[in-house]
Each structure stands twice: as structure tokens, then as C-alpha cells.
Amino acid sequence: MSIFRRRGSSQQQQEQDQPEVQSESKVNELKAGLGPLSGRSLLYCTDACLRRYLEARNWNVEKAKKMLEETLAWRSTYKPEEIRWHEVAAEGETGKLFRANFRDRFGRTVLILKPGLQNTKSMDNQIRHLVYLMENAMLNLPEGQEEMAWLIDFTGWSFTTNVPIRTAKDTINILQDHYPQRLAVAFLYTPPRIFEAFWKIVKFFIDPKTSQKVKFVYPKNKESVELMRSYFDVDNLPTEFGGKATMKYDHEDFSRLMAQDDVKAAKFWGFDQKVASATTGYAAGAAVAPEPV
């Protein structure tokens, strides 16, 4: 009996190892297809990064290669890692988007979005601000963690504070095309009914895998509240999301935190001197970006 048990155990272990071996093989194939990389492209294209692009394209190496090459081209022109907090700080003055001071139950970085606090008109700057915070969230992911969680509070939201469909589409394209497999879950807390019409249009542009990660949460819906609490400790969760914690966004404190992160990001990407000279003139509202994997 013990012989059969050992054989069964061995076979089971082989079956468990097989996907990992295949995954490693695909990563190596993609790496070879990309050819020699240097500079920031080399820093960006870690094995974990290649896996994310492969997962986003159902492990099709050619499609993942095309997607990744498009990201590298975008990063070389948009330069998201070079965005500094003082360049986008005005966008964050109301606390419409910031990194939370707590993580979810899985150790993920949490971004809090409050679209009702929209305070600017420039769509380009709004997207730049979001990209900066995405990079910052990645910098602050714990080792071994690839994804982040979003909490979206709709207090004060209306069509007057809503972004145009075209901007929403551009934003979604950037997030899907250049930050694949970065979103674990997005909780839309108490969205107004009029948002549903907007969502039906926006959902058309979202990959089905991604749209499944978007959860509508209503305080009177026990099932959705329980789902949210399976991701968050209520003692950490702010009251506006049904938790017990009191949270007040302090722009100056957050700016100081971002300024420290900008130094970390510059060190990672290898342009410390540039940031060192730029930070000398920072006002109290200046801040910093994080280190992507």
C-alpha cells in the first residue's frame, strides 16, 4: 500500500509542478523573443513582469510579446517613472486619489478614489496623476505581491464631476495595455443609479477578465458587504466604506510621503542626481514615486 501511496504522491507532485515548468518555459520563450534589453527596459522586464503579460494574453507568447513591446514603446515616450509628485500634486489636493495607509488582507497596496472630489479640468493631467499613483502603488507592493486593490467612494459624484467617455476609454486603455494583471479587485461603494448607465458604456471597453474584478457594493446588500470584508479588516477600513476607521486625507502629509518615494523610485531607475537637484526646491506639497516590478 505504501508503494502505491508514494507513486500517487509523486504523480500528484508532477502534475502540480507541470504548470510551473510550462510557465517558466513560456517566460524563457518570451525573453528570447524580446532579444537583448538594456537600461530601464531591462529593469522593467523581470520574470514576474513577463508572466503578467503572458497571463494577460492567455500565455500566447507572440501576443504577449506584441503587448509588452507596445508598453516599452509607451514607457519610452510617456516616461511614467520620471513623473515627480510636484508635477501632479495639484491634482491630489482634494484627496480624489491617493494611496491608503493600510493594506488589504492579502498585503496588497490599496488606492482610494473619490471621483466626487474632482478639482481640475485637464484630462491629460488627470491621467498623468493616475499613472503616477499606479507607479507609486507598485513601488509599495510587498515582495512577492503583484496586484493592488481599489476602493472607490461615490459620495458627491454626479455627471458634472464625471470624466468624458473618451477620457475614460483612454484611461482604461493605458491601465489594461500597460499595467496588466495589476488590479486584484475594485470595489465601487454605493454608486448612484445614474452611474449604472455610464458603467454600461465603459464596460464595453474593458476586458471581461478585468470587468469581473469590479464589484458593486451596497451597504444594505449583505452579500456584497461580506465580500468586501473578506478583503479588508473592518478596523482598518474607513467609515465611508463601511469600516470603523476614521480617515482624513492630509495633502501636506501625503506630499511628504510621496517626496520620499520619489527618491526611492529615482534610485531604482538610476537617475538619483536628477531628483536630488529637483527636490531642493520642493515646497511642503511635493512628493515621490515608487518602484515598479
Side-chain angles (χ1 to χ4, degrees):
M1 289 292 288
S2 61
I3 294 175
F4 288 110
R5 211 175 283 128
R6 279 197 297 271
R7 282 181 179 169
S9 173
S10 173
Q11 184 180 354
Q12 189 178 30
Q13 186 62 45
Q14 285 176 3
E15 287 172 357
Q16 288 173 353
D17 291 344
Q18 197 172 14
E20 194 174 326
V21 172
Q22 289 176 345
S23 159
E24 199 62 35
S25 169
K26 294 279 188 180
V27 167
N28 290 334
E29 191 180 338
L30 176 54
K31 203 180 291 184
L34 288 169
L37 297 171
S38 61
R40 297 180 196 177
S41 294
L42 181 60
L43 284 172
Y44 182 76
C45 292
T46 62
D47 284 4
C49 171
L50 300 188
R51 259 184 224 102
R52 285 195 303 273
Y53 281 80
L54 283 163
E55 285 175 23
R57 290 296 177 261
N58 295 314
W59 296 92
N60 182 305
V61 176
E62 276 307 310
K63 289 181 179 179
K65 177 175 174 284
K66 183 175 184 293
M67 184 187 191
L68 183 48
E69 285 175 339
E70 286 171 355
T71 291
L72 293 177
W74 173 78
R75 292 185 74 89
S76 71
T77 54
Y78 199 87
K79 300 186 187 303
E81 73 280 1
E82 287 191 20
I83 303 172
R84 301 273 73 87
W85 175 249
H86 70 279
E87 299 169 15
V88 295
E91 291 289 336
E93 286 177 356
T94 59
K96 67 185 178 188
L97 169 60
F98 60 96
R99 195 184 87 231
N101 62 357
F102 61 90
R103 300 184 189 276
D104 72 2
R105 292 187 187 277
F106 305 92
R108 301 180 183 112
T109 302
V110 177
L111 287 183
I112 292 179
L113 295 83
K114 299 192 171 192
L117 298 180
Q118 184 57 265
N119 60 324
T120 62
K121 299 291 185 186
S122 169
M123 300 305 167
D124 288 342
N125 287 343
Q126 289 169 20
I127 292 175
R128 194 168 168 80
H129 179 230
L130 173 60
V131 166
Y132 173 87
L133 265 299
M134 287 292 294
E135 296 279 320
N136 184 271
M138 295 188 307
L139 179 69
N140 286 283
L141 284 170
E143 189 176 350
Q145 182 56 264
E146 296 287 311
E147 299 176 312
M148 64 192 75
W150 285 17
L151 286 173
I152 305 174
D153 173 18
F154 280 88
T155 303
W157 183 90
S158 68
F159 272 122
T160 57
T161 56
N162 187 35
V163 298
I165 296 294
R166 183 176 175 181
T167 305
K169 183 174 179 289
D170 290 346
T171 306
I172 288 166
N173 287 342
I174 286 175
L175 295 176
Q176 287 190 156
D177 296 346
H178 306 312
Y179 295 94
Q181 304 302 113
R182 283 302 193 181
L183 179 67
V185 63
F187 286 103
L188 280 57
Y189 199 80
T190 322
R193 291 203 172 197
I194 54 171
F195 177 77
E196 292 178 14
F198 176 75
W199 173 249
K200 283 178 182 174
I201 300 170
V202 169
K203 192 177 178 182
F204 178 77
F205 305 113
I206 301 177
D207 179 88
K209 282 184 183 177
T210 304
S211 64
Q212 286 173 12
K213 297 176 182 179
V214 177
K215 313 294 181 185
F216 285 69
V217 179
Y218 301 94
K220 292 182 181 178
N221 183 310
K222 187 179 176 183
E223 198 175 303
S224 66
V225 170
E226 285 303 315
L227 175 66
M228 189 167 180
R229 291 189 175 188
S230 70
Y231 280 84
F232 298 97
D233 183 336
V234 290
D235 290 331
N236 293 332
L237 200 60
T239 52
E240 51 264 56
F241 294 103
K244 298 178 181 178
T246 303
M247 180 184 67
K248 189 176 187 305
Y249 175 76
D250 186 308
H251 188 59
E252 286 194 9
D253 283 352
F254 190 72
S255 291
R256 280 190 284 270
L257 178 65
M258 294 298 97
Q260 293 166 11
D261 279 355
D262 277 351
V263 176
K264 284 195 288 183
K267 186 176 181 182
F268 175 80
W269 292 109
F271 49 92
D272 313 48
Q273 295 307 314
K274 178 179 175 181
V275 171
S277 58
T279 52
T280 8
Y282 272 4
V288 180
E291 161 189 353
V293 179

